[in-house]
Amino acid sequence: MGHHGDWQLGIYLDGLGGTVPDLPMEFAELERQAQAQMPEAIWSYVSGGAGNERTQRANVEAFERWGLMPQMLAGVADPDLGIELFGRTYDTPVMLAPVGVLGICEEAGHGDLTTAAAARSLQVPMIASTLSQDPMEDVANALDGSPGWFQLYPPNDRELTESLVRRAEAAGFEAIVITLDTLNLGWRPRDLTIASFPQLQGLCLANYFSDPVFRAALDRSPEDDPAAATGHWATIFGNKRLSWDDLDWLRSLTKLPLLLKGICSAEDTRRALDHGVNGIYCSTHGGRQANGGLPALQCLPEVVEAADGAPVIFDSGVRSGPDVVTAMALGASAVAIGRPYAYGLAVGGQAGIEHVLRCLHAEIDLVMSIDGYPSISGLGPEALREIRR
Ligand code: FNR
């Protein structure tokens, strides 16, 4: 498939009849409308980052360092945006990163299911977070056979960890992504200022509250005593002592492809692969966890080199089609977005997420075609130049 860029023709044609898009075409406007839609505490949680948000900004700004060298008269009418990951082919390299509060990004409170429906309608893979408002089985049902991965926050309890992995397998998720950069919560001044952390209000804990192992550890059920269940969750959420020694055990839990999210160095990449991990997810959690670190994009080339052909998923700071193209040229196998689609969800529900994805797909398609590159998975760093300031 291709021709994602042709979508713009329909918009211009509609314009002849006086109709303009009812969803924002520019990221800044999407952000503005999302803020207007979301309650203050949710906006703070979604848009904010760690510390003074230096890393969050650096993630976005890192893309401004690179430019794609155009190749004229290359005759690329229909660039191939397709990729292959773990034996599945995908129409484009864009994925939906795990976002833990999707459930409450839409008023009806089922944002995880809405996201799954959007992912399904465009066949874009969704990485479902552990922190969802509806249980993973319902998210998988909403995906209805379209590609989904499960993101695991490994809790401080091996039996519960195993239970979550088993459920993800049984629900039909096709890979497990273990997030390593959030075994402890980052320092988030915006949320601290309003003293708000959604999960402590019992929100987005459905995967725990529905889990037999989690429930067995409670005196009273989460339905009867949600505050006690939430309190228990707070004690088991992050296994801060998790180390490389635990990885073999985590690996042994599943035959599904296993990826580690939050890996940014060559050394960690090699260690992960030595422990039998199938893919690396290079990410700084969108600058939400450790402030003061490097932008994820700067880390990508060394991760790709050390991965030595193993898939590398990338996220953090991707806001446009050219950003996706740049990350692919620097060696990513696929590129995920976080905040942009959470904003789309807040602004327009399922249609809002689909709109964000269509905009990205169209822009990737047009940039590839205009600059004369026939295949996104064939792009390499030689297509990029550093912008001189
Ligand atoms: C996240 N992210 C995240 N990651 C993860 O592994 N599990 C999770 O539950 C969450 N939750 C979450 C909530 C919110 C509100 C945001 C914005 C992000 C991180 C996410 O997967 C991804 O790494 C970043 O969002 C990528 O950066 P951008 O695209 O937001 O800049």
Side-chain angles (χ1 to χ4, degrees):
M1 253 179 79
H3 300 297
H4 293 279
D6 289 351
W7 183 50
Q8 68 171 348
L9 300 177
I11 296 175
Y12 288 129
L13 286 173
D14 286 348
L16 298 176
T19 305
V20 297
D22 51 7
L23 289 162
M25 300 304 300
E26 292 181 85
F27 183 74
E29 177 60 16
L30 176 74
E31 221 173 3
R32 202 191 60 71
Q33 290 190 19
Q35 179 172 11
Q37 284 303 320
M38 288 169 159
E40 185 199 355
I42 300 176
W43 168 252
S44 161
Y45 186 83
V46 175
S47 64
N52 67 0
E53 301 183 351
R54 167 155 84 84
T55 302
Q56 180 171 340
R57 281 189 301 279
N59 280 331
V60 174
E61 287 163 10
F63 287 93
E64 289 177 16
R65 182 177 151 208
W66 296 106
L68 189 68
M69 180 59 84
Q71 306 184 130
M72 290 300 108
L73 293 177
V76 181
D78 187 8
D80 178 5
L81 307 188
I83 58 157
E84 197 248 303
L85 276 179
F86 305 119
R88 261 240 199 203
T89 54
Y90 299 92
D91 185 27
T92 81
V94 179
M95 304 184 74
L96 300 176
V99 169
V101 290
L102 288 177
I104 53 173
C105 283
E106 69 163 25
E107 226 179 324
H110 296 286
D112 303 284
L113 305 182
T114 307
T115 301
R120 176 178 169 231
S121 97
L122 295 192
Q123 291 292 301
V124 166
M126 171 183 180
I127 309 175
S129 169
T130 315
L131 294 171
S132 54
Q133 184 72 354
D134 283 286
M136 64 174 102
E137 289 79 5
D138 294 358
V139 177
N141 275 342
L143 281 169
D144 195 22
S146 79
W149 297 0
F150 180 71
Q151 175 267 326
L152 176 74
Y153 279 131
N156 197 5
D157 173 332
R158 281 197 166 196
E159 212 191 328
L160 177 59
T161 307
E162 188 164 351
S163 175
L164 291 168
V165 171
R166 296 270 164 271
R167 287 172 58 196
E169 278 182 332
F173 289 100
E174 297 175 9
I176 306 283
V177 175
I178 302 180
T179 300
L180 301 180
D181 58 18
T182 313
L183 304 172
N184 211 345
L185 182 68
W187 176 254
R188 299 180 184 166
R190 284 207 222 184
D191 294 340
L192 289 163
T193 301
I194 55 172
S196 168
F197 186 66
Q199 288 81 350
L200 285 181
Q201 299 157 36
L203 295 166
C204 307
L205 301 182
N207 281 328
Y208 302 88
F209 288 6
S210 61
D211 191 277
V213 175
F214 183 88
R215 294 174 73 93
L218 303 173
D219 293 333
R220 297 171 66 205
S221 75
E223 297 75 38
D224 290 336
D225 192 348
T230 304
H232 178 61
W233 170 80
T235 67
I236 56 91
F237 168 67
N239 182 357
K240 290 173 215 145
R241 294 188 198 285
L242 198 74
S243 75
W244 291 105
D245 294 338
D246 298 301
L247 195 50
D248 293 329
W249 168 74
L250 283 164
R251 170 71 277 185
S252 76
L253 294 181
T254 182
K255 294 211 170 0
L256 289 177
L258 189 70
L259 297 94
L260 297 185
K261 180 168 184 274
I263 299 275
C264 288
S265 75
E267 195 187 341
D268 282 355
T269 301
R270 281 189 288 268
R271 279 187 106 165
L273 295 169
D274 284 348
H275 283 270
V277 159
N278 306 95
I280 304 296
Y281 194 143
C282 175
S283 165
T284 57
H285 212 104
R288 301 167 62 74
Q289 278 298 96
N291 192 39
L294 297 165
L297 192 71
Q298 189 176 328
C299 304
L300 178 61
E302 76 171 75
V303 168
V304 167
E305 197 188 340
D308 197 22
V312 176
I313 314 303
F314 174 83
D315 79 22
S316 294
V318 175
R319 298 290 176 266
S320 71
D323 292 351
V324 174
V325 173
T326 300
M328 292 298 288
L330 291 175
S333 315
V335 178
I337 52 168
R339 292 184 186 85
Y341 85 88
Y343 295 160
L345 172 63
V347 169
Q350 180 178 341
I353 299 177
E354 290 173 9
H355 178 80
V356 166
L357 288 169
R358 281 203 183 93
C359 289
L360 267 186
H361 289 166
E363 200 183 10
I364 297 168
D365 188 40
L366 292 167
V367 165
M368 293 284 293
S369 163
I370 291 166
D371 280 347
Y373 288 93
S375 147
I376 201 147
S377 51
L379 276 179
E382 65 285 350
L384 299 176
R385 298 290 185 279
E386 272 198 58
I387 294 172
R388 285 194 210 107
R389 301 262 175 221

